[in-house]
Amino acid sequence: MTELHLAAALNDAGWHPAAWRDPSARPSALFTAGYWGDLAAEAERGLLDFVTIEDALGPPAPPGGVTARLDAVLIAARLAPATSRIGLVPATVVPHTEPFHVSIGIASLDHASRGRAGWRPDAAPAHHAHAPHFGRRDLPDAALLGEAAEFAEVVRRLWDSWEDDAEIRDTATGRFLDREKLHYIDFEGEHLRVRGPSITPRPPQGQPPVTVLADDVAGYELAARAADVVLVAPRSRGDAVTVVAQVREAERTVERTGEPLRVLGDLVVFLDAVPGAAHARLARLDGLARAAFDAEVFTGTPGDLADLLLDWREAGLDGFRLRPGVLPADLAAITRELVPILRGRGAFRESYGTATLRGHLGLPRPANRYAVSDPGRRP
Amino acid sequence: MPVKQIHLAAHFPGVNNTTVWSDPGSGSQIDFGSFVHLARTAERGKFDFFFLAEGLRLREMKGRIHDLDVAGRPESLTVLSALSGVTARLGLAATVNSTFNEPYEVARRLATLDHLSGGRAAWNVVTSWDAFTGENFRRGGYLAEADRYNRAREFLGTARELWDSWSGGDLVADPASGTFARPDAGAFAHRGPQFDIAGRFNAPRPPQGRPVIIQAGDSAEGREFAAAEADVIFSRHGTLEDGRAFYKDVKSRLAKYGRRPDELKIMPSVTYVLGDTEEDAAERAADIRRAQVTPQGALAYLEGFWGRDLSGYDPDGPLPDVEPDLGEGVSKGRAQFRGDRSETVRRWRALAAERGLTIRELVIEATGRQTFVGTPRSVADQIDEFVRTDAADGFVLVPHLTPTGLDDLVEHVVPLLQEKGVFRADYTGPTLRDHLGLEAP
Ligand SMILES: Cc1cc2nc3c(=O)[nH]c(=O)nc-3n(C[C@H](O)[C@H](O)[C@H](O)COP(=O)(O)O)c2cc1C
């Protein structure tokens, strides 16, 4: 049996808007390195493939909820030296940021973590609300996907703009660089124009895995063009069958070549060992703040969740990104209870066999799009 | 009166023409291990802060990427955030440009670094404005040179409004009452010629209140900007005489902003070479200068002034006989020389003729020797003299080797400064403001 890929989605105090009021939450620690370090250590103890970290350039919740959030790339960077194997996948907000800065930020995260960086460009319409923070004209929703595609293309070209062996340190000629191995990217799209090359050498993974959250065909096509991993949100096993078929269709539509997308199902999870306890906990939180989730919500025991994951996997999912309803409690239930059950059923790794995020995902290190493939010229 | 204390910062060498990459001991300019080594060395030496420069486009010469110097560096704030995990007290200073960024994002990222590091963040506000760099950015948004400090001033002012939009008590986080933050926490509205923005800032007040502000710019506008806004000024005035004049000039500008002289620390960037004896140090200094100015590097340097291709000239021969082309220039992406190029060329010709210098020897001469050369004792004395006689409040030390270039100074010079009682024996507080003796805003 092939092993599942498992990721945990970290944000604030958990995915329920009232999570910060749960007795197990640490609301006054949300803005400390210690809080994030503990979460990452917990996820790594569970040998998860990666953690994602959400971002927003404005209050992530309405007043009453958690109205502050720190920069996700910098949180991920802080976690790099505190962990050794787990992948670190921050989100960045597409419409209000510069692809050049994002590209060198993720490349730097990859250098600092020695090959464990990933990236999730986030073009959700919810971020429109923050346009006044940038004095930017409002964009129509349709344009956002187009901008996201261009954004990801610029970021990726910049990662390849230094070939791996561009640094030569040739004392005979006095050259530090072989300038033939540095490339202008000369991107000119509808939304973006960027010249390049990057100021940061190619990241250790070559291309850190790009992750896209999608829930319709346009989103799957964006993922098929731009991403390595697509996060989908099926509501049932039957729905998962449909979604996976749509993702594969999107790959054909855009004529994707190379590795197929890794398709991970997103689920919001509330876990308790005692049957019924998780449901009661969710009901109590719902009484404090109304929640609207864009993914299926699971409440139950870790054993029940294991059953569901293995069942849905039959629909063709490669794994799951679990969004803990409350942090750190539901994360600990994943790593300490769910993971051992899955492992017992032969469906999850016993140890990290690889050291990079691409490695965990079974993705080979990619060739550089700018490298001349003349075998006489390059090893 | 207590003895005036010295402040020290470590500049990560990396990308410039003073970093010697040909030395067998020269390590990676991009491997995270190099950053860890230098930061831990600086923290062992009880330095105030660790400093990263920025350049958002690779330099070019004659329309092609400049290939002779070290190139390739990380995004500053990302690396500093990672370094906050392997250091405990060291300040972490990022150079971040105010032209190719937006205040909301920069203020939030600096607040993030300040939170994650427990109050150790600093921002070196730089104003590069050129269209060459702008080609890497979506808004293309370059400025007329005259506007660079208008934008910088308004950018920084807006960032301050954002940091101040949360007060210390705004984060309530009370599960019982359901109040996470006070209702108006983060509310801001800024209307100005450069920025017209309003809404809610989403980073709680940073531990230092505001990150430490550093300014590096030398023009009259730059000095005025520093006097009004900065906590530290990073300068290039590394001689006693020059340093004293600059110090006096800048400190005298503070009063009109209602600030005391000690609210702005002046820290010139300096280089150093240590030896067992004075002769040994001088010899090493000369060797390092020759390694810094390679034959090819010397020609490229002259081309920057001549404004034309000089590749046919022998670097070990006499200066070019052709006249400089005073047009647009051939070098892009580095601080531009603003003086009179033909006057400089005339001066060099005279110097070369008088002393019989080759191209390479002339460039070695013209680009100056290291600031402090000598035994650990004499270097400690020189550093102390600069600070005691108000040529500086401290220094940003620029090693010539990555990442071990600071090791000998921390091992041999810092203890002598501590013995003299002019440099801290240990950190006395957790934040960078504590190290610099700056009050909380
Ligand atoms: C010591 C020193 C270091 C500087 N470091 C940088 C840097 O890392 N990145 C950058 O873009 N500009 C840097 N600058 C440039 C200045 O911030 C500024 O943009 C430039 O000097 C123009 O301002 P001025 O006219 O006031 O000198 C530096 C300047 C000085 C004096």
Side-chain angles (χ1 to χ4, degrees), chain B residues 425-439:
Chain B
D426 202 352
Y427 293 109
T428 54
T431 72
L432 177 54
R433 281 185 183 279
D434 293 331
H435 311 339
L436 289 168
L438 299 168
E439 280 162 23

Side-chain angles (χ1 to χ4, degrees), chain B residues 11 51-56 73 94-98 100 124-130 133 145 148-149 215-223 225 233-237 246 267-269 333-336 338 396:
Chain B
H11 189 301
F51 181 93
L52 289 177
E54 179 189 73
L56 294 170
R73 56 175 142 205
T95 299
V96 182
N97 178 285
S98 62
F100 307 109
N124 178 33
V125 185
V126 299
T127 60
S128 307
W129 66 89
D130 54 291
T133 304
E145 179 174 354
R148 69 196 189 286
Y149 280 108
Q215 192 274 350
D218 213 12
S219 59
E221 297 119 289
R223 293 176 187 201
F225 177 54
I233 183 163
F234 176 32
S235 86
R236 291 205 173 99
H237 299 274
F246 181 77
M267 299 177 68
S269 113
R334 71 191 312 181
Q336 295 296 316
R338 291 225 194 80
V396 177

Side-chain angles (χ1 to χ4, degrees), chain B residues 108-346:
Chain B
R108 177 167 178 261
R109 299 192 88 213
L110 284 157
T112 298
L113 179 62
D114 209 46
H115 279 288
L116 295 178
S117 65
R120 300 189 276 138
W123 174 20
N124 178 33
V125 185
V126 299
T127 60
S128 307
W129 66 89
D130 54 291
F132 175 73
T133 304
E135 286 179 353
N136 282 337
F137 295 95
R138 61 158 90 214
R139 293 170 189 99
Y142 66 92
L143 293 170
E145 179 174 354
D147 280 337
R148 69 196 189 286
Y149 280 108
N150 292 336
R151 180 164 166 115
R153 223 182 335 266
E154 192 173 326
F155 194 114
L156 179 56
T158 308
R160 288 191 166 172
E161 290 164 27
L162 294 169
W163 292 320
D164 288 347
S165 69
W166 284 74
S167 68
D170 278 353
L171 188 64
V172 180
D174 176 24
S177 68
T179 307
F180 185 78
R182 295 213 182 110
D184 58 352
F188 72 94
H190 176 93
R191 295 226 130 71
Q194 301 287 338
F195 307 103
D196 182 359
I197 61 175
R200 294 264 175 176
F201 191 51
N202 73 351
R205 190 164 183 77
Q208 292 187 101
R210 294 194 289 251
V212 167
I213 302 299
I214 305 173
Q215 192 274 350
D218 213 12
S219 59
E221 297 119 289
R223 293 176 187 201
E224 210 57 38
F225 177 54
E229 310 280 356
D231 302 304
V232 174
I233 183 163
F234 176 32
S235 86
R236 291 205 173 99
H237 299 274
T239 65
L240 263 183
E241 210 172 313
D242 230 19
R244 283 182 194 139
F246 181 77
Y247 193 97
K248 210 166 148 215
D249 175 272
V250 170
K251 296 265 179 175
S252 73
R253 294 173 192 256
L254 285 160
K256 71 170 156 302
Y257 302 102
R259 304 180 72 199
R260 293 190 316 271
D262 65 349
E263 290 180 59
L264 176 61
K265 308 296 181 202
I266 296 179
M267 299 177 68
S269 113
V270 293
T271 52
Y272 54 89
V273 182
L274 300 178
D276 293 334
T277 61
E278 295 298 324
E279 298 72 39
D280 176 39
E283 209 169 293
R284 294 192 57 204
D287 287 346
I288 292 167
R289 293 294 296 131
R290 271 191 296 278
Q292 286 168 329
V293 182
T294 61
Q296 298 86 352
L299 270 188
Y301 185 81
L302 276 205
E303 284 175 334
F305 282 83
W306 256 259
R308 62 200 310 162
D309 179 28
L310 301 176
S311 52
Y313 288 85
D314 177 3
D316 294 319
L319 262 54
D321 38 17
V322 292
E323 284 311 304
D325 173 348
L326 299 173
E328 220 195 277
V330 293
S331 159
K332 287 194 159 150
R334 71 191 312 181
Q336 295 296 316
F337 179 77
R338 291 225 194 80
D340 179 344
R341 282 185 3 226
S342 58
E343 167 54 30
T344 305
V345 167
R346 240 191 321 276

Side-chain angles (χ1 to χ4, degrees), chain A residues 129-215:
Chain A
H130 304 142
H133 297 165
F134 297 86
R136 197 173 176 208
R137 286 190 323 279
D138 216 27
L139 269 174
D141 284 9
L144 267 183
L145 273 190
E147 182 167 332
E150 291 188 5
F151 199 114
E153 176 69 13
V154 170
V155 167
R156 281 189 177 280
R157 285 195 198 176
L158 287 168
W159 287 337
D160 275 350
S161 65
W162 287 58
E163 293 186 39
D164 292 321
D165 50 359
E167 183 183 320
I168 50 172
R169 298 192 183 225
D170 182 34
T171 43
T173 57
R175 290 179 309 147
F176 181 82
L177 295 172
D178 177 351
R179 58 159 77 103
E180 302 302 321
K181 292 181 179 179
L182 293 177
H183 303 276
Y184 296 103
I185 70 163
D186 282 328
F187 183 88
E188 296 204 15
E190 209 179 307
H191 309 275
L192 301 168
R193 272 169 80 108
V194 177
R195 176 100 165 106
S198 182
I199 57 165
T200 307
R202 193 168 191 236
Q205 294 181 99
Q207 294 275 319
V210 176
T211 300
V212 162
L213 175 67
D215 64 356

